[in-house]
């Protein structure tokens, strides 16, 4: 009986020609997870198509029957290889081991023993016939149909694994899974149609060409072996830092759960340009473009809104060493940065303290030394008074320095306290023989009583000692010559005000406090106002300094948790 070579056989040749090079390529990538399993599937496809071709070429001969038997050597390789790849691809490779491989080998061994021994439960070879493509009339036995059911069961299992994975993964992997399912399902659907007698000739060997083309597309276009999500859930999703994979076009191809938490208002979406999700800040966008263009790993630190982040950018290359994208790892370092800034602020504060000690203490010390010499020479009482005032000045400075060094901007327990009560207690600790205090309105506020008292003490000392001029060059003894100021404390609906009737505060210092909320240089303002700023900042209050209508300094503290106030909220006037 003559062999046959028509369009059907030509398409089988095309299948082998397409599949074999792809199999060689995937074998060369065998270091990548899943590559060996895909190679086995492709070799099985090529073997099935080649055996089917041999059936036609040697139809009606014993060689045709040998070729038929060979098909059932390659079919189990395809099904087992596909299941193994599905397990690896979907991060279930822990199921693979000697026992699994042994179980997968049982069915192929049994059906091949039956096929090669011509067992009746497998098939019955009746006679040669020109009506059949292979030239033989075959009657399939129950073992064949059992093998078919087993094959479809294995394929269904692999399909379920792929579909389940695709429903919970990113767009890139959904395309890969869709490609895999189409490549695998096409020949098996064709085979099912043939077995159901819906087709006169088995199109499976030709449909296997779709498998070869599909796998080639997945390998080269979708980079299946390079971006396979092996252990993705185990590795990437457990990382607390945001991980974003961006391709060469700037498109997001993958990200983890932490990315959505970091970009809580507008998390990056797979398939979209990552730059669309960046803040509208030229500095941030320029840093992003620089990272994408870098040929080596780089790290930048950025301030985004009220957060500090470091971004590690690493070029992503395929197995050929070609650049295919960039991996960004974004780490929120806000707490670390805040600690660094706080440490820097503390160091600057210590440096300021050193300058204050050398500057502010030297002046009253020189006054005390000079006055003491004059007292010894003249014996006049006024020089001893000057010595006493100089000592008082040094004592205040030491107390203020200790308060800042020990407390800084820390708070103790807050409680309900009376503004008038705390103010009068603080007034009693300040030596004010020529000054007076007036509390025109009271309020109950929630605050740290000790720190609030420090605030009042320093504002009172500022008014009494400097007459609110804040001039460090003015000698303490000169301050005492004029009548002491009248200091007023008044509660408001949002806090309280401390004012005096002195000459007022220089505009430069007022502007600095109002702009920054604190005093940056105690050399210019005195350490007392630095303590005041620290207390206000610790309570999350606001400090505003103006000169009153009479010319004296007016310190307005707002944002206070006022529990009860004897003021009219609309006008903030005393009732």
């Amino acid at each position: 009986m003559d062999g046959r070579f028509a369009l059907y056989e030509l398409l089988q040749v095309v299948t082998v020609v397409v599949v074999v090079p792809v199999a060689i390529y995937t074998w060369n990538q065998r270091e990548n997870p899943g590559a060996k399993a895909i190679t086995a599937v492709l070799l099985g496809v090529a073997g099935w198509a080649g055996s089917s071709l041999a059936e036609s070429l040697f139809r009606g001969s014993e060689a045709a029957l040998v070729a038929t038997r060979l098909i059932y050597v390659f079919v189990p390789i395809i099904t087992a290889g596909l299941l193994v790849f599905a397990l690896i691809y979907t991060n279930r490779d822990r199921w693979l081991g000697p026992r699994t491989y042994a179980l997968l080998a049982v069915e192929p061994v049994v059906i091949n023993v039956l096929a090669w021994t011509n067992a009746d439960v497998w098939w019955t070879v009746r006679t040669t016939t020109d009506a059949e493509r292979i030239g033989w009339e075959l009657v399939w036995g129950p073992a064949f149909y059992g093998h078919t059911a087993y094959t479809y069961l294995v394929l269904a299992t692999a399909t379920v694994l792929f579909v389940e994975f695709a429903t919970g993964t990113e767009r890139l992997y959904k395309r890969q899974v869709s490609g895999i399912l189409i490549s695998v399902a096409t020949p098996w659907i064709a085979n099912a149609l043939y077995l159901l007698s819906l087709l006169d000739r088995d199109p499976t060997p030709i449909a296997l060409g779709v498998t070869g083309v599909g796998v080639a597309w997945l390998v080269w276009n979708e980079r299946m072996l390079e971006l396979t999500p092996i252990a993705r859930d185990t590795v990437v999703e457990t990382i607390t830092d945001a991980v974003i994979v961006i391709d060469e076009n700037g498109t997001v191809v993958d990200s983890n759960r932490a990315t959505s938490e970091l970009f809580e208002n507008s998390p990056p979406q797979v398939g979209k340009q990552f730059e669309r999700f960046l803040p509208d800040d030229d500095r941030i966008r320029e840093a992003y473009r620089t990272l994408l263009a870098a040929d080596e790993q780089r790290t930048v630190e950025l301030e985004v809104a009220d957060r500090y982040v470091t971004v590690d950018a690493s070029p992503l290359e395929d197995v050929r060493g070609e650049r295919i994208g960039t991996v960004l790892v974004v780490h929120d370092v806000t707490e670390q940065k805040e600690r660094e800034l706080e440490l820097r602020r503390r160091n600057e504060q210590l440096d300021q303290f050193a300058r204050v000690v050398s500057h502010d203490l030297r002046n009253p010390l020189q006054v005390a030394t000079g006055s003491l010499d004059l007292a010894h020479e003249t014996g006049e009482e006024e020089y001893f008074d000057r010595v006493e005032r100089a000592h008082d000045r040094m004592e205040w400075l030491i107390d203020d320095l200790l308060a800042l060094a020990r407390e800084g901007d820390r708070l103790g327990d807050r409680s309900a306290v009376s503004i008038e009560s705390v103010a009068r207690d603080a007034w009693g600790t300040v030596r004010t023989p020529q000054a007076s205090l007036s509390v025109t309105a009271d309020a109950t506020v929630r605050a740290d009583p000790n720190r609030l008292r420090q605030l009042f003490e320093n504002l009172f000392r500022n008014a009494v000692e400097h007459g609110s001029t804040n001039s460090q060059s003015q000698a303490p003894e000169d301050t005492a010559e004029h009548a002491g100021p009248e200091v007023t404390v008044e509660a408001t609906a949002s806090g309280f005000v401390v004012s005096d009737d002195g000459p007022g505060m220089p505009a430069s210092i007022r502007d600095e406090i109002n702009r920054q909320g604190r005093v940056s240089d105690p050399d210019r303002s005195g350490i007392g106002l630095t303590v005041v700023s620290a207390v206000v900042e610790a309570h999350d209050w606001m400090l505003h300094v103006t000169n009153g209508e009479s010319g004296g300094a007016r310190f307005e503290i707002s944002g206070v948790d006022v529990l009860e106030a004897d003021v009219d909220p609309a006008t903030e006037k005393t009732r």
Side-chain angles (χ1 to χ4, degrees):
M1 190 178 296
D2 295 333
R4 176 183 295 173
F5 189 88
L7 177 61
Y8 183 85
E9 286 72 29
L10 177 61
L11 292 176
Q12 292 173 340
V13 172
V14 171
T15 298
V16 174
V17 171
V18 169
V19 169
V20 170
V22 181
I24 294 173
Y25 178 81
T26 57
W27 175 252
N28 291 333
Q29 309 301 316
R30 59 187 177 276
E31 298 296 329
N32 293 328
K36 294 179 181 179
I38 284 294
T39 302
V41 172
L42 292 172
L43 291 177
V45 168
W48 187 344
S51 298
S52 180
L53 175 62
E55 286 179 322
S56 296
L57 295 178
F58 301 103
R59 60 193 303 265
S61 67
E62 285 295 327
L65 292 176
V66 171
T68 302
R69 294 185 181 97
L70 284 174
I71 289 177
Y72 299 100
V73 172
F74 296 115
V75 169
I77 293 176
I78 297 174
T79 55
L82 183 63
L83 179 60
V84 170
F85 179 74
L87 292 171
I88 295 174
Y89 188 91
T90 60
N91 194 28
R92 293 180 173 88
D93 51 340
R94 63 185 180 279
W95 293 358
L96 296 174
R99 180 177 298 178
T100 302
Y101 289 117
L103 290 174
L104 289 175
V106 170
E107 195 270 350
V109 169
V110 171
I111 63 108
N112 272 277
V113 168
L114 295 177
W116 289 91
T117 59
N118 288 321
D120 292 339
V121 294
W122 176 251
W123 66 5
T124 299
V125 181
R126 289 187 173 178
T127 183
T128 58
T129 175
D130 196 51
E132 297 292 337
R133 181 181 63 87
I134 68 172
W136 290 94
E137 181 183 355
L138 304 177
V139 178
W140 299 103
F144 169 79
Y145 292 104
H147 157 73
T148 302
Y150 170 81
T151 299
Y152 279 99
L153 177 62
V154 174
L155 289 174
T157 302
T159 301
V160 169
L161 293 176
F162 285 128
V163 171
E164 181 186 22
F165 177 80
T167 57
T169 190
E170 305 296 351
R171 178 179 173 182
L172 173 67
Y173 303 126
K174 288 180 180 177
R175 290 203 306 266
Q176 288 185 1
V177 172
S178 299
I180 293 170
L181 292 176
I182 293 173
S183 301
V184 171
T186 300
W188 297 109
I189 292 175
N191 181 256
L193 294 175
Y194 172 71
L195 292 177
L196 293 173
S197 300
L198 298 177
L199 297 174
D200 294 334
R201 184 171 294 184
D202 185 3
T204 308
I206 299 174
L208 288 172
V210 176
T211 302
V213 173
V215 172
W217 177 78
L218 287 167
V219 169
W220 279 297
N221 191 65
E222 293 299 314
R223 306 191 297 276
M224 180 175 67
L225 298 181
E226 300 158 11
L227 293 178
T228 305
I230 303 301
R232 181 188 183 281
D233 291 340
T234 303
V235 178
V236 178
E237 289 297 346
T238 56
I239 297 176
T240 56
D241 295 336
V243 179
I244 307 147
V245 181
I246 301 172
D247 67 13
E248 282 288 79
N249 298 319
T251 303
V252 179
V253 297
D254 199 5
S255 63
N256 64 347
R257 188 178 298 109
T259 302
S260 299
E261 297 172 358
L262 182 65
F263 293 81
E264 53 187 359
N265 295 326
S266 180
Q269 299 176 16
V270 171
K272 303 292 185 181
Q273 288 288 314
F274 180 64
E275 193 165 346
R276 292 178 49 186
F277 304 96
L278 295 177
D280 189 14
D281 187 320
D282 292 339
R283 178 180 52 87
I284 295 175
R285 292 176 179 270
E286 183 61 31
Y288 164 69
R289 298 187 189 109
T290 301
L291 290 175
L292 288 193
D295 294 329
E296 57 185 6
Q297 182 175 352
R298 296 189 61 180
T299 301
V300 297
E301 183 178 290
L302 298 170
E303 182 178 356
V304 183
D306 57 346
R307 289 179 170 179
Y308 293 92
V309 298
T310 59
V311 183
D312 296 319
S314 302
L316 184 63
E317 298 179 347
D318 60 19
V319 294
R320 299 180 295 274
E322 297 179 1
R323 178 76 173 267
I324 59 175
T326 304
V327 178
L328 301 180
V329 180
V330 186
H331 180 49
D332 191 336
V333 294
T334 302
E335 293 184 4
Q336 175 184 340
K337 189 66 177 180
E338 288 177 347
R339 289 194 297 268
E340 291 176 358
L341 293 175
E342 175 64 16
L343 180 60
R344 183 183 304 171
R345 191 178 70 82
R346 292 289 187 181
N347 290 335
E348 292 174 353
Q349 193 176 59
L350 287 174
D351 184 58
Q352 293 171 355
F353 287 170
R355 296 200 307 271
V356 169
V357 170
S358 64
H359 181 279
D360 283 25
L361 283 179
R362 181 178 288 112
N363 186 39
L365 183 60
Q366 290 174 344
V367 170
T369 301
S371 298
L372 188 60
D373 290 340
L374 290 174
H376 285 307
E377 292 176 4
T378 64
E380 295 183 9
E381 187 71 22
E382 64 174 299
Y383 294 114
F384 289 107
D385 292 338
R386 291 185 179 181
V387 172
E388 183 178 4
R389 289 195 295 273
H391 286 167
D392 288 343
R393 167 65 178 158
M394 287 187 285
E395 183 180 354
W396 290 349
L397 285 172
I398 291 171
D399 289 343
D400 290 343
L401 288 169
L402 288 175
L404 275 177
R406 291 172 179 171
E407 304 292 342
D409 54 7
R410 292 178 300 176
L411 286 182
D413 294 335
R414 302 190 192 194
S415 60
V417 294
S418 164
I419 291 292
E420 179 177 9
S421 176
V422 176
R424 294 196 180 281
D425 288 344
W427 185 261
T429 64
V430 180
R431 299 183 182 180
T432 56
Q434 296 179 327
S436 62
L437 173 67
S438 173
V439 180
T440 60
D442 190 18
T444 301
V445 302
R446 187 175 301 280
D448 179 346
N450 293 328
R451 301 308 305 277
L452 180 59
R453 179 168 173 164
Q454 286 178 358
L455 180 146
F456 279 123
E457 288 174 347
N458 281 278
L459 288 178
F460 294 159
R461 288 172 185 168
N462 182 76
V464 172
E465 181 183 358
H466 298 293
S468 296
T469 63
N470 292 283
S471 173
Q472 298 301 303
S473 61
Q474 184 179 14
E477 65 273 19
D478 295 335
T479 306
E481 296 299 328
H482 62 73
E486 179 179 344
V487 181
T488 301
V489 175
E490 177 184 2
T492 67
S494 60
F496 55 91
V497 175
V498 178
S499 59
D500 62 58
D501 60 355
M505 178 176 288
S508 61
I509 298 179
R510 292 201 314 269
D511 292 343
E512 180 183 1
I513 295 175
N514 294 336
R515 185 174 63 255
Q516 301 180 7
R518 62 185 299 118
V519 180
S520 61
D521 188 357
D523 282 351
R524 297 174 56 243
S525 62
I527 193 68
L529 289 186
T530 304
V531 175
V532 171
S533 299
V535 174
V536 169
E537 187 174 329
H539 282 86
D540 291 327
W541 297 341
M542 290 177 288
L543 174 62
H544 186 75
V545 183
T546 63
N547 281 340
E549 296 179 359
S550 62
R554 178 180 173 88
F555 296 86
E556 300 174 354
I557 291 88
S558 60
V560 181
D561 185 5
V562 179
L563 303 179
E564 183 180 356
D566 188 23
V567 296
D568 184 351
T571 61
E572 293 195 351
K573 296 295 185 180
T574 305
R575 289 178 180 169

